[in-house]
Amino acid sequence: MQEIILILVLASATIAATYIGALLGLAVTGCLMFLKYVPEWTWTVVLLAMTVATVRGLRYERGIIIAGSRTVKLCTVGFGVP
């Protein structure tokens, strides 16, 4: 009797795992189809924005580490940070 229950549980688990895998595959395919319609220059803009954010963060952090809050205010004036 226990073997029959074990077989049914394993069969149900296999079907459930296959169903969840199919749903995840469908979701990934949908995301990849969406990315196909994004213009190619968008990735350049994203990279530029990330570079600018990194430079701002490093300038702000370097000001704190080197000379305290007065230097932070002097370093970040050009970046629009009060």
Side-chain angles (χ1 to χ4, degrees), residues 59-60 63-64 67-82:
R59 280 193 151 197
Y60 183 72
I64 290 176
S69 61
R70 290 186 182 172
T71 304
V72 171
K73 290 179 182 175
L74 291 174
C75 289
T76 57
V77 167
F79 291 96
V81 177

Side-chain angles (χ1 to χ4, degrees), residues 2-81:
Q2 289 180 347
E3 291 111 10
I4 295 174
I5 294 174
L6 181 63
I7 290 172
L8 290 175
V9 168
L10 290 176
S12 299
T14 302
I15 292 170
T18 305
Y19 182 74
I20 291 171
L23 285 178
L24 289 174
L26 186 63
V28 169
T29 303
C31 290
L32 292 177
M33 286 178 60
F34 171 74
L35 290 177
K36 184 172 71 171
Y37 296 109
V38 174
E40 292 181 9
W41 54 266
T42 304
W43 307 115
T44 304
V45 172
V46 168
L47 182 61
L48 179 63
M50 290 171 58
T51 304
V52 169
T54 302
V55 169
R56 284 184 180 180
L58 289 175
R59 280 193 151 197
Y60 183 72
E61 184 177 337
R62 190 174 352 148
I64 290 176
I65 291 173
I66 291 175
S69 61
R70 290 186 182 172
T71 304
V72 171
K73 290 179 182 175
L74 291 174
C75 289
T76 57
V77 167
F79 291 96
V81 177

